[in-house]
Each structure stands twice: as C-alpha cells, then as structure tokens.
C-alpha cells in the first residue's frame, strides 16, 4: 500500500537502508521482519550501523525500498506476525507514520526501535504500535554523559520527553542500555536503573557492547565478569523483567 500520511509523505517515500526478512529476537513474542530506516541525528560511540547515520544513501552500498518491504509482507502473510522499524533512527523519517499505518493495514503488528530523538513523531506513531524498544544511551539525569555517548548536547532532553510519552501511552516497551566499561561505569548503571525504577519502568535490558566486524576499534574486549554479580543482582531485583544480553 502506498497510502499517504494525513499530514506528510506517503509510505513509499520511506528511506530504507536494509531489510531483515525474519527474526525472532527483535519484537518480543512475534516472528517479524526488520526495516532499517536511513539516517540518525546522533553519533553514538558504539554505533554498529554507522553507514546508516547519513540521511543520504551511500552510492557504493546497496539499500532497500518500500516496494521491497511491501513485496516481502505480501509473500509472508501467515508466516510473520509483525514488522519492526529500526535504524538509524526511524522517527527521523517523515514518512514513518504513513509506513506504520500501511503495515498495520496489511494485517501486521508494528514495533519500533528508537533512541527517543524525535518525541513529536514518536507521539504520532504510538497509537499504532504494539511495542517499543527505547535505547537509554546514558545516565538519564546526566547531560554531560549523554553528550559524551551520543555526541549531541540536546540528546538527554529529547529522550526524557520520549520516555514520558511511552509511560503515558500504555504501549508495552523495553528500556535498554548498550554498555561498555570504557564509557559506562557500574555506578552509572545503577544510577540509570534507579532513575527508571523510580518512574515505574517494568522492562530493562543491559546489552554488553561488542566490537562488530569493520568497526574502528574504540574499545577493548569486555571481561565476561563485567558487570559484577552484585551489580547484576541489583538490576535483576529492580525490575519485573531484566534481561542481560552478551551476544
């Protein structure tokens, strides 16, 4: 479907960097496809998709299209439950609301991975979402830490607004932090958890930063014993659902 957003571009104008046709881990409880949207306003220290940061496509790399996603979903009726829009930062794209609605009209549930950098667009798509994964890039109350991790001074304020939208929406969501001891201490992990717990966040995931193939080495290998078991125990006890991801 190439439906138009009520006040914006058509779904067919969504800039897709790539597609994953099948995943069991990106949308809890659903078999899904992942659509990676081109462009991101942040420059996170650990970014694994740095080629998606620029809004324009790299002419030396292949990219996907709305037509490819639409064709995939038509073929996978009855085999997939949903689609996750990821990135990059999907909320950057003005065609996202139309794309979300078009996917939903095809009979699929819709999930979203976001860093929270575009609260107005998140607010627009939230009513059509079944689940959101919200990145917690840094200690929520520490603006300097946010600037260090994301490379952007205003990142913290936009994220805080996005968290508030999610808390008020009733849409299930997971907060997740990608951490490495070079930029996230154990004390900062606990400070982050305390902030989220105080706001009644139910789901929290700690993702240990790995060096992906081709990434300029900024960080060394993480000790398998990091974070320490006492810290992990505090994280486990602080949320209804805590997940540790090392892979």
């Amino acid at each position: 479907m190439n439906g138009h957003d009520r006040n914006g571009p058509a779904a067919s104008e969504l800039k897709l960097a790539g597609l994953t046709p099948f995943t069991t881990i990106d949308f809890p409880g659903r078999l899904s496809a992942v659509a990676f949207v081109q462009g991101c306003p942040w420059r996170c220290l650990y970014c694994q998709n740095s080629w998606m940061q620029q809004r324009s496509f790299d002419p030396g790399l292949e990219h996907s299209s709305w037509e490819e996603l639409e064709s995939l979903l038509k073929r996978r009726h009855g085999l997939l439950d949903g689609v996750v829009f990821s990135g990059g930062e999907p909320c950057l794209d003005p065609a996202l609301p139309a794309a979300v609605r078009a996917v939903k009209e095809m009979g699929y549930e819709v999930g979203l991975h976001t860093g929270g950098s575009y609260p107005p667009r998140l607010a627009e798509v939230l009513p059509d979402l079944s689940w959101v994964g919200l990145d917690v890039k840094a200690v929520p109350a520490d603006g300097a830490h946010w600037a260090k991790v994301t490379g952007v001074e205003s990142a913290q304020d936009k994220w805080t607004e996005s968290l508030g939208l999610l808390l008020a929406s009733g849409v299930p969501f997971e907060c997740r932090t990608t951490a490495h001891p070079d930029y996230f201490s154990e004390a900062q992990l606990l400070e982050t958890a305390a902030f989220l717990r105080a706001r009644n966040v139910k789901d929290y995931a700690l993702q240990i930063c790995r060096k992906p193939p081709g990434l300029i080495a900024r960080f060394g290998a993480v000790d398998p014993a990091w974070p320490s078991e006492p810290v992990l125990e505090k994280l486990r006890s602080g949320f209804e659902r805590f997940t540790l991801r090392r892979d």
Side-chain angles (χ1 to χ4, degrees):
M1 298 180 66
N2 291 327
H4 282 266
D5 177 54
R6 296 183 185 97
N7 298 297
S12 58
E13 297 179 53
L14 190 73
K15 297 188 73 169
L16 287 181
L19 293 174
T20 296
F22 177 76
T23 174
T24 61
I25 62 174
D26 292 282
F27 194 164
R30 282 82 161 181
L31 305 178
S32 63
V34 183
F36 295 92
V37 178
Q38 185 77 23
C40 183
W42 295 348
R43 298 295 180 265
C44 296
L45 293 172
Y46 59 85
C47 182
Q48 297 188 26
N49 292 335
S50 57
W51 63 277
M52 295 183 194
Q53 290 176 349
Q54 298 299 325
R55 183 62 174 151
S56 58
F57 291 125
D58 184 333
L61 298 174
E62 292 186 6
H63 60 270
S64 299
S65 66
W66 170 255
E67 289 73 24
E68 283 186 59
L69 176 59
E70 187 177 40
S71 175
L72 171 70
L73 297 181
K74 287 178 178 177
R75 297 194 311 270
R76 294 294 179 91
H77 265 299
L79 300 175
L80 291 176
D81 304 313
V83 175
V84 180
F85 288 97
S86 189
E89 171 51 62
C91 287
L92 174 152
D93 199 310
L96 180 67
V100 167
R101 279 197 293 272
V103 168
K104 193 172 180 181
E105 288 170 5
M106 293 178 73
Y108 293 95
E109 291 189 80
V110 184
L112 178 74
H113 294 170
T114 180
S117 51
Y118 290 89
R121 192 154 291 134
L122 175 62
E124 188 174 358
V125 298
L126 263 175
D128 291 312
L129 300 179
S130 295
W131 176 83
V132 176
L134 178 67
D135 292 333
V136 187
K137 303 289 189 179
V139 179
D142 187 341
H145 195 221
W146 274 88
K148 175 183 177 180
V149 176
T150 66
V152 176
E153 294 291 337
S154 61
Q156 176 198 22
D157 293 339
K158 294 181 184 300
W159 178 87
T160 302
E161 185 178 349
S162 291
L163 175 64
L165 290 170
L166 282 166
L167 289 167
S169 72
V171 175
F173 70 98
E174 173 191 86
C175 285
R176 67 268 294 273
T177 296
T178 300
H180 187 287
D182 283 359
Y183 65 84
F184 229 118
S185 69
E186 288 190 334
Q188 287 173 318
L189 289 176
L190 293 176
E191 189 178 347
T192 298
F195 179 98
L196 299 174
R197 187 168 57 248
R199 285 150 184 81
N200 206 30
V201 170
K202 307 293 186 184
D203 288 26
Y204 183 53
L206 176 61
Q207 303 175 154
I208 304 304
C209 179
R210 298 183 302 126
K211 178 183 176 294
L215 181 68
I216 296 173
R218 291 193 175 110
F219 312 112
V222 179
D223 188 323
W226 187 88
S228 65
E229 188 56 36
V231 168
L232 288 175
E233 184 55 38
K234 289 180 180 178
L235 294 175
R236 292 188 191 103
S237 64
F239 299 93
E240 287 189 12
R241 290 167 290 276
F242 171 72
T243 305
L244 177 64
R245 299 180 182 131
R246 292 192 182 273
D247 297 325

